[in-house]
Amino acid sequence: MTNDSDTLIRVEDVRTHFFLDEGVVKAVDGVSFDLARGATLGVVGESGCGKSVLARTIIRIVPRPGRTIDGAIWYHRPSEGGGERPIDLASLEADGAEIRDIRGGEITMIFQEPMVSFSPVHTIGDQIVEAVTLHRNATREEARAIAVDTLRRVGIPNAESRIDEYPFRLSGGMRQRAMIAMALSSNPTLLMADEPTTALDVTTQAQILELMADLQEEFGMAMMLISHNLGVVAQTTERIIVMYLGKVVESADVRTLFRDPKHPYTQELLKSVPKLRRRRQTERLAAIYGSVPSPYERPAGCPFHPRCPQFMAGECDVIEPTLKAVSEGHSVSCLLYSEETDS
Ligand SMILES: Nc1ncnc2c1ncn2[C@@H]1O[C@H](COP(=O)(O)OP(=O)(O)OP(=O)(O)O)[C@@H](O)[C@H]1O
Ligand SMILES: [Mg+2]
């Protein structure tokens, strides 16, 4: 546990597994990271690496047959009289009063599946008002005023009348803005956005990312942005963790990660990020060799070794690397670097 007054969330060796008839899926398998108050963190990796399950683990909404079986999630909860009180979210009753108070209020999430965030049968206004009255000690009138104001701030024109629309009546971009408004309206300490722009066209995607960066600064909340697209998180966040098969394989600030990526997986992911000044428009983006293995058949040793261009036989398929610091604030889990740091 930490006493750093700056820390908002400290995740320690968290494991969330799905216990299926076919076997155990280790969706999140020993993940640790820190998130400071007001800081931004990007979480990247290919489909199935555990990004969404990690976010769900933090707010304790992992669906059955999934369970968080290990680890701690220290949330430095602001207390009413000022100051803070660290509580381990992983140890709370998943449906108890405390986590329900935090979830949707202090820690909010924009879901990958849009219709999980919004119910189709209520207007967006009713849904935001509901969240605000529940978490902000406001009357319905006050909550409605907050809702209109937040909708306006996320760039929804005619917010006073749009507030009474049903979600399906909004365009994809406007619905995404409304979801951001809902996630912001409770004035959270942490907003987790899971692939918030994937369903949008490129222009709208850029606008939404810019909006999120502006709002993060304005509201001063911490933000965790999840995407399979390294380019998207690099634009919007300061630090990045790269995940592969439920584990963090590299963690660094954005500049370091782009200039000096250490893990071969990160290097491959970077090759698939579109460059602004690509020599020929027709030049194809590289795809990473091979595909993510079945979750039931985790390779022995380093889980990336069957796809790794720098595979060392007899080592990478035998020894499982752990996350180690290669420089301050830069960690990598790869046997190529294990000697430098072993002492
Ligand atoms: N409800 C569930 N039941 C069983 N397995 C699940 C469930 N949800 C996720 N998983 C498994 O957990 C692993 C991690 O899934 P997760 O959804 O976190 O991936 P992701 O990184 O968010 O991928 P994507 O980029 O496609 O959203 C996958 O192997 C997935 O099949
Ligand atoms: Mg996901």
Side-chain angles (χ1 to χ4, degrees):
M1 200 172 81
T2 172
N3 293 315
D4 295 351
S5 59
D6 234 19
T7 303
L8 179 67
I9 296 241
R10 171 163 288 181
V11 173
E12 290 175 350
D13 205 20
V14 157
R15 286 167 215 273
T16 297
H17 295 178
F18 288 89
F19 298 88
L20 306 170
D21 293 341
E22 299 88 333
V24 177
V25 176
K26 299 180 176 177
V28 172
D29 198 29
V31 167
S32 304
F33 64 86
D34 274 13
L35 184 56
R37 257 167 229 293
T40 54
L41 177 76
V43 180
V44 292
E46 287 165 291
S47 185
C49 68
K51 305 180 294 294
S52 298
V53 174
L54 175 62
R56 286 174 170 268
T57 298
I58 292 173
I59 48 172
R60 305 296 308 280
I61 51 163
V62 173
R64 279 165 205 280
R67 257 188 307 133
T68 299
I69 53 163
D70 206 3
I73 302 163
W74 291 105
Y75 170 49
H76 292 233
R77 188 173 193 196
S79 41
E80 271 164 33
E84 55 172 47
R85 186 171 59 92
I87 43 175
D88 176 12
L89 301 181
S91 73
L92 296 180
E93 202 63 53
D95 219 21
E98 188 153 27
I99 190 74
R100 275 189 286 128
D101 210 25
I102 294 168
R103 179 167 64 215
E106 290 165 46
I107 305 181
T108 56
M109 179 159 172
I110 300 170
F111 289 90
Q112 188 168 7
E113 312 80 13
M115 286 312 173
V116 177
S117 289
F118 273 134
S119 148
V121 297
H122 296 102
T123 64
I124 55 170
D126 281 349
Q127 297 183 58
I128 298 177
V129 166
E130 175 81 26
V132 173
T133 46
L134 196 64
H135 294 288
R136 276 182 69 170
N137 193 17
T139 65
R140 285 195 77 81
E141 288 80 65
E142 287 162 350
R144 192 173 160 96
I146 292 173
V148 170
D149 180 53
T150 322
L151 289 170
R152 203 177 283 134
R153 278 157 92 169
V154 299
I156 295 191
N158 307 320
E160 309 74 10
S161 55
R162 278 293 177 78
I163 186 170
D164 295 316
E165 294 274 22
Y166 288 88
F168 63 86
R169 298 257 305 162
L170 302 178
S171 68
M174 283 299 151
R175 188 159 55 226
Q176 203 63 19
R177 285 174 194 266
M179 275 196 268
I180 295 170
M182 170 124 140
L184 285 171
S185 59
S186 60
N187 222 346
T189 57
L190 169 64
L191 167 63
M192 299 190 289
D194 194 353
E195 304 279 5
T197 61
T198 306
L200 306 172
D201 63 77
V202 179
T203 315
T204 316
Q205 186 168 346
Q207 288 168 353
I208 295 283
L209 287 176
E210 202 169 309
L211 172 72
M212 293 192 64
D214 289 349
L215 291 168
Q216 187 269 329
E217 211 158 289
E218 186 186 330
F219 283 69
M221 74 223 160
M223 187 163 77
M224 188 167 130
L225 180 69
I226 297 173
S227 178
H228 63 281
N229 184 334
L230 198 43
V232 161
V233 299
Q235 254 182 64
T236 327
T237 61
E238 298 150 327
R239 282 193 67 78
I240 294 186
I241 59 177
V242 180
M243 289 184 70
Y244 190 73
L245 283 178
K247 293 185 188 289
V248 175
V249 297
E250 186 158 7
S251 150
D253 65 82
V254 172
R255 271 172 89 94
T256 307
L257 199 81
F258 272 69
R259 283 193 180 166
D260 188 23
K262 294 288 190 199
H263 201 288
Y265 181 58
T266 312
Q267 293 168 1
E268 294 298 306
L269 276 182
L270 275 166
K271 286 184 194 159
S272 62
V273 174
K275 296 227 171 44
L276 280 180
R277 266 168 281 136
R278 200 157 266 282
R279 253 179 254 134
R280 282 179 292 131
Q281 282 303 314
T282 49
E283 205 174 318
R284 287 188 56 206
L285 290 175
I288 302 181
Y289 167 77
S291 52
V292 181
S294 148
Y296 308 116
E297 288 154 31
R298 289 175 71 84
C302 168
F304 187 59
H305 85 256
R307 304 173 70 193
C308 185
Q310 298 180 64
F311 168 64
M312 303 177 288
E315 295 196 40
C316 301
D317 48 352
V318 180
I319 306 164
E320 187 165 351
T322 54
L323 203 59
K324 288 185 178 159
V326 284
S327 61
E328 197 181 333
H330 189 182
S331 304
V332 62
S333 170
C334 173
L335 296 174
L336 287 170
Y337 309 96
S338 56
E339 274 164 3
E340 297 169 26
T341 48
D342 273 349
S343 52

